[in-house]
Amino acid sequence: MPELSFPSLCRLQPRPSGVTIDESFLTEDKSTQNRKLLQKRRTLPYREIFEFFIEDFKTTSPTCLCLAHQREKIRALEPLKAKLVTVNEDCNERILAMRAEEKYEISLLKKEKMNLLKLIDKKNEEKISLQSEVTKLRKNLAEEYLHYLSERDARKILIADLNELRYQREDMSLAQSPGIWGEDPVKLTLALTMTRQDLTRTQMELNTMKANFGDVVPRRDFEMQEKTNKHLQEQEIQRTSTPRPDWTKCKDVVAGGPDRWQMLAEGKNSDQLVDVLLEEIGSGLLREKDFFPGLGYGEAIPAFLRFDGLVENKKPSKKDVVNLLKDAWKERLAEEQKETFPDFFFNFLEHRFGPSDAMAWAYTIFENIKIFHSNEVMSQFYAVLMGKRSENVYVTQKETVAQLLKEMTNADSQNEGLLTMEQFNTVLKSTFPLKTEEQIQELMEAGGWHLSSSNADLLNYRSLFMEDEEGQSEPFVQKLWEQYMDEKDEYLRQLKQELGIELHEEVTLPKLRGGLMTIDPSLDKQTVNTYMSQAFQLPESEMPEEGDEKEEAVVEILQTALERLQVIDIRRVGPREPEPAS
């Protein structure tokens, strides 16, 4: 086989697959061609020596051929490298240009931000200026009003003076003919003036007496009637009731002395005072206990109290218990409520105090909320925990209070926290369209309205929704809760009256549904089904359809059904249609 020279071998080697040469690099300028020619001349001796190696060393000839081939590949890729360098430089220039553009845009945005901040400051200054102007205008309006009152009074005085002059003129005309009267004209004029003044004064006193005492009976008749009524009441009390306890005796027994007892007893009737006294006694006994006996694992025992042995009394303050219960409610409202309320309560304590102390805190909290019936937060939590009230009742009541506060805030156009009594009345009527005038009046009085109030009097409505450190609401919110409970009782009383059966008798599902739709025609189907599900303890999915024959088979004792409805949030949706005239 004839030997091939290195140039021949290089020309015979095929171009590597995947390698392309940009034709633009073949048209190079003269300086580039001269540089390559000079480099070729410098490497020519090495190439000739390499060819001798290939010819003389037969064993390494394939390796040398391969190296030569790879060298040719490298040389073929050199133009591509130069292009990559050029592209890299171009990209770097573009990046620098983009950065410069971004920097310019950032500077523009900063300028725009500063302009907007200046605009905001200007608007704030305008707002302050307008507020000052409004204050000034209000002050001017008050001054103008006072000026108007002064002008009105001056006008009345002027009219009175004119009338007096007219009377004097008439008197002078009468005085010109003294023979008519037969007496001294001056004397008659003075007598007439004094008589007119006495008549005016007497008429004013009479009008005042009629306005103030028009409905007042004579004092003698009142005292006689009061004496008779008092005597009859004493006789009735002695006949039908036990002697009224002297609650002032408690002031020396209750912790804190007379001052604290006076604060606790203020505004409470005998029944409420009994609760207060029991709470004081119970709280004292509770503080003395160091341990609670476990109630065991019986089925009647709530799941969060099932334990044998002694449980430590953590002895928290009343304020600490209230804050803990508030935190529990917040966490309950934030979750999806997949577990029962007692299970949630125990899991909350485990997460809060750890598994080792959860049972001790469960017993401690339970014993505290069982004692303090007068505390809103504790009593409501206890009712929900023991299943005596649905937690929806608590949630709905909180939503109602929040909605009412929102409506009052919307009516406060000046955002000063003040409403007139007229605005207060309007918000109550629009928020509670089903309440009677008497109920609205009760809420007005609980909010601070009294007989001497006028529609223009201002009310600090935000103070109506405050709570003290023990979670006690203001009288206004308490009155809302009392009215809600009274409305629920009245609603169920009307339902029983409509059904026309005794409490111990059975009621069927269609009859109870019909009674509800009669007393509250605005109820929707979903709400009625919810009520029926609660009354008969059937899941809504298993409730027979209306008109189905299976409805008659679903029965329950009326008293049991009403007690179950008392647990949930049941209320009137719309007005009861008036009965047709006979």
Side-chain angles (χ1 to χ4, degrees):
M1 178 179 177
E3 296 182 357
L4 298 177
S5 63
F6 177 76
S8 301
L9 288 171
C10 294
R11 287 192 299 270
L12 291 176
Q13 293 298 325
R15 178 177 294 177
S17 61
V19 177
T20 59
I21 301 176
D22 191 351
E23 296 298 334
S24 62
F25 284 92
L26 299 178
T27 58
E28 300 171 335
D29 55 8
K30 187 173 182 181
S31 62
T32 304
Q33 292 178 0
N34 293 335
R35 187 175 66 255
K36 288 186 176 182
L37 182 60
L38 179 60
Q39 184 178 5
K40 187 174 181 181
R41 289 176 180 176
R42 290 177 179 175
T43 58
L44 183 60
Y46 300 101
R47 293 177 63 188
E48 292 177 355
I49 294 172
F50 196 69
E51 289 177 0
F52 290 146
F53 282 158
I54 293 173
E55 293 175 358
D56 294 339
F57 299 100
K58 303 297 183 181
T59 57
T60 59
S61 177
T63 302
C64 292
L65 288 174
C66 183
L67 291 174
H69 178 59
Q70 294 298 329
R71 180 178 178 81
E72 290 297 325
K73 283 184 179 181
I74 293 171
R75 292 185 61 192
L77 293 174
E78 284 182 355
L80 182 60
K81 179 181 178 182
K83 182 178 180 180
L84 288 175
V85 172
T86 305
V87 171
N88 186 31
E89 293 176 352
D90 185 34
C91 290
N92 288 337
E93 291 177 356
R94 290 182 181 179
I95 291 172
L96 293 175
M98 291 173 65
R99 288 179 178 175
E101 185 178 355
E102 288 177 354
K103 187 175 181 181
Y104 177 71
E105 291 179 354
I106 290 172
S107 63
L108 291 180
L109 290 174
K110 286 182 177 179
K111 291 180 180 178
E112 184 178 0
K113 175 185 175 183
M114 295 301 297
N115 292 333
L116 291 175
L117 290 175
K118 291 179 180 178
L119 181 61
I120 291 173
D121 293 338
K122 184 179 179 181
K123 292 295 183 183
N124 289 334
E125 292 177 357
E126 291 179 357
K127 178 182 178 182
I128 294 172
S129 176
L130 291 174
Q131 288 178 345
S132 302
E133 189 68 22
V134 169
T135 304
K136 183 178 178 181
L137 289 175
R138 285 182 176 177
K139 184 178 179 181
N140 292 339
L141 179 61
E143 293 176 353
E144 288 295 328
Y145 181 69
L146 292 175
H147 181 67
Y148 163 75
L149 293 178
S150 301
E151 290 290 336
R152 185 193 64 180
D153 295 338
R155 185 173 179 270
K156 289 182 178 180
I157 294 172
L158 181 60
I159 292 174
D161 292 341
L162 290 175
N163 291 332
E164 184 65 23
L165 290 174
R166 182 170 60 84
Y167 294 148
Q168 290 179 3
R169 182 180 179 183
E170 292 177 357
D171 295 341
M172 293 298 295
S173 64
L174 291 174
Q176 292 177 0
S177 55
I180 299 177
W181 303 99
E183 295 185 12
D184 187 5
V186 177
K187 183 178 179 180
L188 290 174
T189 302
L190 291 175
L192 180 61
T193 302
M194 296 300 295
T195 303
R196 285 173 176 167
Q197 292 178 356
D198 293 340
L199 177 61
T200 302
R201 183 172 62 256
T202 305
Q203 188 66 39
M204 291 177 61
E205 291 178 355
L206 179 60
N207 293 336
T208 303
M209 295 290 289
K210 286 183 178 181
N212 294 337
F213 307 104
D215 299 329
V216 177
V217 299
R219 182 178 183 86
R220 182 180 59 184
D221 296 343
F222 170 75
E223 290 177 350
M224 290 180 62
Q225 191 67 34
E226 185 180 31
K227 184 177 180 181
T228 303
N229 291 338
K230 186 176 181 181
H231 181 65
L232 292 175
Q233 288 177 358
E234 290 176 353
Q235 289 181 347
E236 183 68 17
I237 291 173
Q238 291 175 359
R239 186 178 64 86
T240 60
S241 63
T242 57
R244 180 179 177 84
D246 184 8
W247 294 108
T248 58
K249 296 179 181 179
C250 300
K251 64 182 181 181
D252 298 325
V253 180
V254 173
D259 293 338
R260 186 166 182 271
W261 173 253
Q262 184 178 0
M263 180 189 67
L264 294 174
E266 184 178 1
K268 293 181 174 61
N269 55 34
S270 295
D271 186 51
Q272 293 171 332
L273 288 174
V274 171
D275 290 338
V276 171
L277 188 58
L278 290 176
E279 289 179 6
E280 288 295 313
I281 296 173
S283 61
L285 295 175
L286 195 60
R287 286 192 297 268
E288 294 177 359
K289 285 186 177 181
D290 293 327
F291 297 93
F292 300 110
L295 300 179
Y297 293 91
E299 294 183 359
I301 306 301
F304 61 91
L305 296 178
R306 292 176 183 173
F307 186 78
D308 274 332
L310 295 177
V311 182
E312 180 186 359
N313 181 8
K314 294 296 184 178
K315 298 183 180 181
S317 65
K318 191 176 180 181
K319 179 181 177 182
D320 294 335
V321 175
V322 169
N323 291 334
L324 184 64
L325 297 182
K326 287 183 177 181
D327 292 342
W329 273 120
K330 289 179 183 178
E331 188 166 325
R332 178 63 167 176
L333 296 177
E335 70 169 10
E336 297 179 359
Q337 301 185 3
K338 294 181 179 179
E339 56 186 351
T340 63
F341 195 82
D343 291 340
F344 155 77
F345 176 60
F346 191 74
N347 291 336
F348 168 77
L349 294 178
E350 281 188 327
H351 182 264
R352 186 71 169 261
F353 302 105
S356 59
D357 283 342
M359 186 59 68
W361 276 103
Y363 269 83
T364 301
I365 298 300
F366 178 75
E367 291 296 332
N368 275 272
I369 63 179
K370 186 172 64 173
I371 290 175
F372 293 102
H373 296 286
S374 63
N375 185 277
E376 297 175 30
V377 178
M378 293 189 185
S379 61
Q380 292 186 10
F381 196 91
Y382 176 77
V384 174
L385 189 63
M386 301 307 294
K388 297 179 180 180
R389 188 177 299 147
S390 170
E391 58 185 290
N392 287 336
V393 175
Y394 173 84
V395 174
T396 305
Q397 183 66 12
K398 289 296 183 183
E399 291 175 349
T400 301
V401 173
Q403 179 63 27
L404 181 58
L405 176 58
K406 181 180 177 182
E407 294 294 333
M408 291 184 182
T409 304
N410 292 338
D412 180 14
S413 58
Q414 301 295 328
N415 196 24
E416 297 175 344
L418 299 175
L419 289 178
T420 64
M421 284 297 176
E422 185 177 2
Q423 290 175 317
F424 185 42
N425 183 274
T426 302
V427 171
L428 290 177
K429 289 183 177 180
S430 63
T431 307
F432 305 111
L434 299 179
K435 288 189 181 293
T436 63
E437 286 292 336
E438 182 180 356
Q439 289 176 315
I440 296 296
Q441 186 68 23
E442 289 178 353
L443 292 175
M444 292 279 291
E445 292 176 358
W449 182 90
H450 43 82
L451 293 176
S452 61
S453 299
S454 66
N455 290 336
D457 287 348
L458 296 179
L459 169 71
N460 182 7
Y461 64 88
R462 292 173 183 169
S463 64
L464 304 180
F465 302 90
M466 302 293 287
E467 292 182 355
D468 61 17
E469 61 180 9
E470 293 183 354
Q472 292 293 94
S473 303
E474 292 295 318
F476 177 75
V477 177
Q478 293 179 11
K479 178 58 67 175
L480 276 177
W481 174 255
E482 291 175 9
Q483 289 188 355
Y484 166 74
M485 297 302 293
D486 293 341
E487 290 167 0
K488 180 189 286 190
D489 293 339
E490 177 63 19
Y491 190 76
L492 295 178
R493 189 196 64 78
Q494 293 179 7
L495 175 60
K496 177 185 176 300
Q497 183 179 0
E498 180 64 31
L499 294 174
I501 60 177
E502 298 298 328
L503 291 174
H504 62 272
E505 295 179 337
E506 290 184 341
V507 60
T508 62
L509 190 150
K511 188 169 184 178
L512 187 61
R513 179 190 283 123
L516 277 171
M517 295 303 298
T518 301
I519 67 171
D520 196 359
S522 302
L523 282 172
D524 58 84
K525 184 177 180 181
Q526 178 61 39
T527 305
V528 174
N529 288 339
T530 301
Y531 292 167
M532 294 300 99
S533 174
Q534 173 68 16
F536 295 97
Q537 293 295 289
L538 284 175
E540 293 188 32
S541 58
E542 299 179 10
M543 294 278 293
E545 293 291 335
E546 189 174 357
D548 193 338
E549 296 179 355
K550 297 180 180 179
E551 279 190 315
E552 294 293 337
V554 182
V555 295
E556 186 58 83
I557 302 297
L558 178 59
Q559 183 173 359
T560 303
L562 293 179
E563 288 175 353
R564 290 171 178 170
L565 290 176
Q566 183 74 35
V567 171
I568 64 174
D569 178 34
I570 183 170
R571 64 178 70 203
R572 180 172 293 281
V573 177
R576 184 170 185 173
E577 293 182 353
E579 297 181 359
S582 57

